Amino acid sequence: MEAATGPSVWGLRGGERRLGDRLFSGAAIASGIAILTVLAGVAIFLLIQAVPALSASTDELAEGKGLVEYIAPLAFGTVLAATLAVIIAVPLAVAVALFISHIAPRALAQPLGYIVDLLAAIPSIVYGLWGIFVLGPAAVGVMKWLEDNLGFLPFFQGPASVTGRTMFVVGIVLAVMILPIISAVAREVFSQAPRRQQEGALALGATRWEMIKMTVLPFGRSAVISGSMLGLGRALGETMAVVIILSGSGGITFNLIGSGNPPTIASNIASKFPESSGIEVNELILSGLVLFAITLLVNMGARSIISRSERHAAEGKKRA
Amino acid sequence: MNSRKFFAIGASTALLAFGVAACGSDDSDSTSGGSDLSGDIAGAGSSAQDAAQQAWIAGFQTDNSGVNIAYDPVGSGGGREAFIAGGKTDYAGTDSPFADEELTGAEDRCKKSGGEFVQIPVYISPIAVVYNLPEVENLQLSPDTLAGIFAQDITKWNDEKIAADNPDADLPDTDITPVNRSDDSGTTANFTDYLSATAPDVWTYPPDDAWPVKGGEAAEGTSGVVEAVGAGEGTIGYADESQAGDLGIASIKIGDEYVAPSAEGSTAAADEAKENKDGEYVYSFDIDRTTTNPDAYPLILISSAAACTAYDDSATADIVKGYLTYVISADGQQAAADNAGSAPISSDLQKQLQPAIDAIGS
Amino acid sequence: MKEDGEDLTETETPERIESPVDAPRASAAGSTSPATAEKPSADNRAKAIEVSGLSLFYGDFKAVEDVDMSIRPNKVTALIGSSGCGKTTFLRSINRMHELTPGARVEGHMTLDGADIYGPGVDPVEVRRQVGMVFQQPNPFPTMSIYENVAAGLKLNTRRIKKAQLDEVVERALRGANLWNEVKDRLNKPGSGLSGGQQQRLCIARATAVQPEVLLMDEPCSALDPVATLAVEDLIQELKKNFTIVIVTHNMQQASRASDYTAFFNLEKSGDPGRLVEMDETTAIFSNPTQKATEDYVSGRFG
């Protein structure tokens, strides 16, 4: 305590810092504030622009529907498409990540990793075109088969689309789009799985797959979850691919293979905005606010899962 | 609503920058164009007009090398809002006429520069009913049948109502997949207007930019509809005739005959249309969808240009005037027909509209 | 991961082995060394290992050259030698862990109770189920409870095992590892919550629960404090009633305290392959080695 009042033996008095430090912390603070300002600005913009729609009467609104009636199918379609994509993508991404980190010979693993990463570099509009010209037509036969053989499930009740512009195809395309992010996160963590635990499992007489189940997957579990959340976030907001592919002419339905699918919020905005005017624009912005809220919730969920697993890891290390 | 403004300003600022740059490089020979017009104007609006606008701009700038015109196909609604907001949007292209508050807004905008609002038809496009049914080469449809198909009341191609229109055709037992636009569109507005006028008992929905029937196949844009119809068998949709490609085009029943879309028929239908005037220079047309004249094809879209008679800058007014004069001229209409597959407006209509253009800048 | 065991040349015949034990099981009871007076228990599963002409490679690098060795059942065999002399590599070749390193391969013969470990068509997974291993660092599975850790290997070997039976095996393994009393009240707590010594004994319980025939230990006490080390050494004396034990250690006192036989590995200079210099009863190695290098090493004048 007494030493603090006198001049420091190190020649630096309290509060005096070097120029470089000051510049760096200034720049860092400014960047942080700028990002928060932009985020707040977007949120405020959405709120202000959405308010007129809230007070408008039903017949002023698009399609003469109430707000809930209008936005609920959109929100449903958004969540359905993104969930479907995650359900398809996660097992694939985990398999790809495991193949690269643990199964493929090194000479094959690295190029394969690059190729998977390259999938993320393809613009979404290209995915959309691929979906509509290649995957959609190719899926017509599959969807017909699903309707004929699994039609008792609500997902495949049909009638199957003859053009392939369905939620089913959108789910697959979105899955391919989010595969790289999930698999990259998973791969990174899988390859850091502690070697001594893997050897421990093998020495017990585990096969490679049993070893992976016992050590690598539990170790990478939280990474897979947070990668999936990131993927889900991307799938929720994906616009162009969905606009191009999806025949969004329906309401809330679990039927994945028909023509009448619920559109997603983002695709609906992209599709309706150019020809909208007046209160309808406010309504679209309100739907954007709903999407913003959904995405925010997903990201917060991912954050909390990641930080919880980090805390677990830290506690584990302390004990060990 | 302000969002629209950001959007339009952003877009036209970018275009303006481009225009200025191009202008700078042209300065040395700006007098060689054969006119003394020089400057930039910008328009925004209907994406249906885009191909025609590009043809007009190219044609007009050839004769007036000092002029730079930029057209941003943001959509009709966006074009109307940008025009009302003023700023850099000197003219607009719109598939639906300005109505109600929009009309008031447009008048107010022009009043600020001491002018009046001008709205004239510039672009006529036949809408074709396209289908994909390899077995049937010349599909014929009466309005009631057409409306029944799109209302999803008729679900099989061998339905007796379709058979009645096509006594000679061998109709398959295929499901019908009607394809509509997923985006709001003037094409949809005109098609639904046609259905509600010609088949009011079957088609009970009001005309609208947005497709009113749930559960059909929805596709983004004209190209999306054409692609969807091409992709699946048993599909039927509606699209600008020029975009129909090698899809089958149905003939629709007019009077006692089945008529395929044609430029002549569309021009004739536009001539037959009832003229409305919402102001001295504000033209809009009610197309007679129920015409029984088999020489007219009433399933058309008439798209308009919007401008003011006065601008803050008289050079702008001169360019707008010159440009619109060219647009409705025989040369301009031919350029649009060649590039966009539109139907030309008749010389009678052109003469009728010219005074509105002449009022600009005077 | 080439398994070059199949490419054995027939010139290296078992006759070359100077085997002190021909019928391991029968002779185990008879040839008791001073350190092991106890009789093998009823659970005795210990088997002998015969090694002849064994060389181990990492790619082009020969890590261990031409080892001939007999490892007796129900005995503790210590492998000693300076760092990098190949003793851990040799240890890992006994349960075919060596080949997990990309590019690693094996030449020569190694049999477990007469069965060729590197024979054609031998599944390394099966070998590892019979030859358990304990590592330098305690490595319990962090996401599993103490109970699950011990049961982990059993669930691999026996697909469907009754809960009651599993409970019994887990308790026996934990008792066998002198850990039962310390953990019986918290079997469902994570294994990573135990102390280092407890964790290592948990790993021993995990390895013994699957009833292997041989237990390999790679410097099992190097990460432990002296008290925990002593506990593990006591445990080793218990375990040899049922298993053949091979232990790598840097600790001379540990080798002399805990082992019956000692094998000394050495290498001429860096870059050369490690060789087995000599192997004998531990008392002989420490009191009367035949090789100068051995004498230098055990007396601390070397390495």
Side-chain angles (χ1 to χ4, degrees):
Chain A
M1 281 296 133
E2 283 144 34
T5 55
S8 160
V9 283
W10 303 109
L12 275 174
R13 284 183 299 278
E16 189 180 302
R17 288 183 299 166
R18 290 193 169 79
L19 181 67
D21 280 350
R22 283 207 305 272
L23 285 178
F24 174 76
S25 73
I29 290 170
S31 313
I33 290 173
I35 286 173
L36 285 177
T37 312
V38 169
L39 188 69
V42 170
I44 290 167
F45 155 78
L46 285 173
L47 277 171
I48 291 176
Q49 292 291 321
V51 165
L54 290 173
S55 54
S57 71
T58 302
D59 42 290
E60 280 180 284
L61 296 169
E63 299 172 29
K65 288 177 179 172
L67 283 176
V68 174
E69 201 189 343
Y70 182 74
I71 293 177
L74 299 175
F76 175 82
T78 307
V79 173
L80 178 64
T83 309
L84 193 61
V86 167
I87 289 172
I88 297 171
V90 168
L92 261 175
V94 169
V96 168
L98 279 178
F99 183 76
I100 292 172
S101 69
H102 280 82
I103 295 170
R106 201 164 296 176
L108 184 63
Q110 214 158 26
L112 194 70
Y114 287 137
I115 290 170
V116 173
D117 289 347
L118 208 62
L119 286 178
I122 298 175
S124 63
I125 192 139
V126 175
Y127 277 112
L129 294 174
W130 173 69
I132 192 171
F133 285 114
V134 181
L135 188 65
V140 168
V142 177
M143 291 189 294
K144 185 76 195 144
W145 185 91
L146 288 171
E147 183 196 357
D148 293 343
N149 294 281
L150 296 170
F152 55 88
L153 296 171
F155 308 112
F156 306 122
Q157 65 189 20
S161 162
V162 296
T163 61
R165 312 160 68 90
T166 61
M167 193 56 92
F168 181 73
V169 171
V170 166
I172 294 173
V173 170
L174 290 181
V176 176
M177 294 174 72
I178 64 175
L179 185 96
I181 177 88
I182 303 177
S183 117
V185 172
R187 189 174 79 213
E188 207 54 43
V189 176
F190 287 163
S191 62
Q192 286 167 14
R195 196 177 158 74
R196 56 200 175 102
Q197 276 157 26
Q198 296 177 44
E199 291 200 330
L202 288 174
L204 272 182
T207 61
R208 187 148 54 177
W209 168 236
E210 287 168 333
M211 177 274 282
I212 286 170
K213 257 191 327 187
M214 285 165 78
T215 62
V216 180
L217 288 182
F219 182 80
R221 194 174 133 265
S222 63
V224 171
I225 292 172
S226 56
S228 307
M229 291 296 178
L230 288 175
L232 185 66
R234 180 169 182 202
L236 285 170
E238 177 47 39
T239 308
M240 282 325 294
V242 182
V243 168
I244 293 176
I245 298 169
L246 190 65
S247 166
S249 63
I252 294 177
T253 171
F254 280 104
N255 181 13
L256 303 177
I257 59 171
S259 290
N261 307 283
T264 70
I265 292 176
S267 73
N268 184 66
I269 293 174
S271 178
K272 304 288 184 191
F273 182 74
E275 297 290 334
S276 294
S277 54
I279 204 79
E280 291 176 6
V281 173
N282 302 111
E283 193 176 12
L284 288 176
I285 290 172
L286 179 66
S287 75
L289 185 65
V290 172
L291 177 61
F292 186 70
I294 294 174
T295 316
L296 209 64
L297 283 176
V298 166
N299 277 316
M300 278 162 56
R303 273 281 120 213
S304 85
I305 288 171
I306 293 168
S307 69
R308 198 170 348 139
S309 73
E310 275 168 359
R311 217 166 40 235
H312 270 295
E315 280 170 16
K317 235 173 246 156
K318 230 184 291 161
R319 273 200 301 258
Chain B
M1 246 192 261
N2 285 334
S3 62
R4 177 80 73 197
K5 209 190 286 175
F6 300 146
F7 199 78
I9 289 173
S12 46
T13 310
L15 287 164
L16 194 69
F18 175 74
V20 167
C23 210
S25 65
D26 278 357
D27 269 353
S28 55
D29 58 357
S30 64
T31 49
S32 66
S35 89
D36 51 1
L37 290 178
S38 104
D40 304 325
I41 62 166
S46 161
S47 52
Q49 281 188 34
D50 190 33
Q53 288 276 358
Q54 297 313 323
W56 291 326
I57 290 168
F60 187 69
Q61 288 183 169
T62 309
D63 293 341
N64 302 277
S65 57
V67 173
N68 264 287
I69 302 174
Y71 182 76
D72 186 3
V74 293
S76 296
R80 291 196 296 272
E81 280 204 14
F83 181 80
I84 292 166
K88 300 288 183 205
T89 305
D90 301 309
Y91 73 98
T94 175
D95 295 342
S96 314
F98 282 69
D100 309 328
E101 322 95 86
E102 283 179 343
L103 192 60
T104 321
E107 282 161 353
D108 288 348
R109 182 242 153 116
C110 290
K111 223 173 269 168
K112 276 182 204 144
S113 314
E116 284 177 74
F117 180 51
V118 178
Q119 177 180 275
I120 53 165
V122 291
Y123 176 84
I124 302 166
S125 176
I127 297 170
V129 174
V130 291
Y131 67 98
N132 182 357
L133 203 62
E135 296 93 332
V136 183
E137 247 173 60
N138 294 305
L139 186 66
Q140 308 185 130
L141 296 169
S142 66
D144 278 352
T145 313
L146 186 61
I149 289 172
F150 278 96
Q152 296 169 21
D153 295 334
I154 300 174
T155 57
K156 289 274 187 192
W157 277 107
N158 59 359
D159 189 279
E160 56 187 24
K161 290 199 182 96
I162 301 178
D165 287 338
N166 299 274
D168 302 329
D170 182 19
L171 294 164
D173 179 33
T174 310
D175 288 337
I176 299 177
T177 304
V179 182
N180 59 266
R181 290 279 289 267
S182 60
D183 50 335
D184 291 359
S185 135
T187 311
T188 300
N190 280 279
F191 185 63
T192 50
D193 185 42
Y194 172 81
L195 292 178
S196 67
T198 56
D201 298 334
V202 185
W203 189 262
T204 51
Y205 309 94
D208 194 358
D209 277 358
W211 186 254
V213 191
K214 287 284 171 199
E217 181 89 12
E220 173 79 8
T222 300
S223 55
V225 169
V226 170
E227 203 286 326
V229 172
E233 246 184 72
T235 47
I236 184 167
Y238 56 93
D240 290 350
E241 193 227 353
S242 56
Q243 306 296 313
D246 43 12
L247 295 174
I249 294 179
S251 301
I252 58 173
K253 193 173 192 180
I254 296 158
D256 296 323
E257 288 181 38
Y258 292 95
V259 179
S262 68
E264 299 75 31
S266 306
T267 305
D271 277 349
E272 279 186 6
K274 179 173 160 281
E275 176 192 309
N276 295 319
K277 285 183 91 170
D278 297 317
E280 193 178 353
Y281 307 120
V282 183
Y283 292 88
S284 64
F285 289 85
D286 284 340
I287 301 155
D288 182 9
R289 309 286 191 190
T290 55
T291 180
T292 52
N293 172 12
D295 293 332
Y297 182 83
L299 182 47
I300 56 171
L301 171 150
I302 297 180
S303 193
S304 304
C308 296
T309 57
Y311 291 88
D312 292 342
D313 177 359
S314 70
T316 304
D318 292 341
I319 297 172
V320 171
K321 178 181 180 179
Y323 180 61
L324 291 181
T325 304
Y326 169 73
V327 163
I328 65 164
S329 71
D331 283 353
Q333 289 294 306
Q334 189 56 46
D338 292 345
N339 279 278
S342 64
I345 60 178
S346 67
S347 56
D348 288 351
L349 187 55
Q350 185 209 341
K351 283 192 194 98
Q352 189 188 342
L353 298 172
Q354 190 60 43
I357 297 174
D358 290 341
I360 299 172
S362 57
Chain C
M1 288 181 199
K2 280 229 170 61
E3 290 157 29
D4 281 8
E6 299 162 30
D7 299 334
L8 290 174
T9 49
E10 284 303 314
T11 54
E12 296 182 89
T13 52
E15 276 83 347
R16 278 189 55 194
I17 307 170
E18 294 165 39
S19 169
V21 181
D22 289 318
R25 233 175 242 286
S27 64
S31 67
T32 47
S33 75
T36 56
E38 308 93 342
K39 290 232 165 36
S41 77
D43 286 337
N44 184 14
R45 302 173 49 83
K47 284 186 180 171
I49 297 166
E50 297 296 336
V51 182
S52 65
L54 190 82
S55 296
L56 302 168
F57 299 84
Y58 292 106
D60 292 333
F61 174 67
K62 195 185 234 182
V64 177
E65 187 174 61
D66 199 22
V67 174
D68 295 328
M69 190 188 284
S70 286
I71 297 169
R72 298 191 184 190
N74 295 104
K75 299 291 174 206
V76 177
T77 302
L79 308 180
I80 61 170
S82 54
S83 294
C85 69
K87 54 193 188 307
T88 293
T89 302
F90 173 75
L91 186 79
R92 288 166 61 89
S93 74
I94 300 175
N95 68 343
R96 296 192 64 167
M97 294 289 281
H98 171 65
E99 67 205 46
L100 291 174
T101 309
R105 60 199 169 84
V106 179
E107 282 174 13
H109 271 296
M110 186 183 285
T111 60
L112 177 64
D113 211 16
D116 191 352
I117 288 176
Y118 286 95
V122 171
D123 182 359
V125 169
E126 282 306 317
V127 174
R128 291 177 202 139
R129 285 177 184 180
Q130 292 168 44
V131 183
M133 189 163 185
V134 175
F135 295 81
Q136 192 172 355
Q137 294 278 339
N139 58 353
F141 301 129
T143 52
M144 295 185 191
S145 68
I146 293 168
Y147 182 96
E148 288 165 336
N149 261 288
V150 180
L154 284 158
K155 285 178 174 166
L156 299 174
N157 289 323
T158 323
R159 292 282 146 196
R160 307 219 171 272
I161 186 163
K162 285 201 190 83
K163 176 81 170 89
Q165 203 181 344
L166 199 59
D167 288 348
E168 190 190 314
V169 176
V170 168
E171 181 177 343
R172 182 149 38 112
L174 284 170
R175 282 190 191 282
N178 293 339
L179 193 59
W180 175 252
N181 288 331
E182 293 160 64
V183 300
K184 64 183 177 197
D185 299 325
R186 44 170 172 159
L187 288 175
N188 292 319
K189 293 271 159 49
S192 51
L194 298 173
S195 74
Q198 287 172 323
Q199 285 191 24
Q200 194 62 297
R201 278 180 282 147
L202 175 62
C203 292
I204 292 171
R206 183 177 71 185
T208 56
V210 297
Q211 297 282 302
E213 288 138 7
V214 178
L215 196 57
L216 308 178
M217 297 179 143
D218 183 7
E219 300 183 47
C221 303
S222 67
L224 306 184
D225 64 52
V227 176
T229 299
L230 215 60
V232 171
E233 282 177 16
D234 288 347
L235 176 57
I236 289 170
Q237 296 310 313
E238 297 285 318
L239 292 170
K240 75 176 180 185
K241 290 178 203 161
N242 295 331
F243 308 104
T244 302
I245 293 172
V246 185
I247 176 169
V248 167
T249 180
H250 276 293
N251 182 330
M252 291 306 109
Q253 278 127 23
Q254 184 169 65
S256 64
R257 274 197 306 263
S259 70
D260 305 313
Y261 290 89
T262 297
F264 173 59
F265 282 74
N266 198 11
L267 74 174
E268 299 287 308
K269 59 183 196 307
S270 178
D272 281 359
R275 291 166 173 277
L276 174 61
V277 176
E278 70 172 306
M279 178 179 178
D280 206 337
E281 290 193 357
T282 299
T283 46
I285 289 282
F286 280 88
S287 60
N288 189 22
T290 60
Q291 302 286 319
K292 176 84 166 59
T294 315
E295 189 182 347
D296 287 350
Y297 185 77
V298 299
S299 60
R301 279 190 292 243
F302 182 93

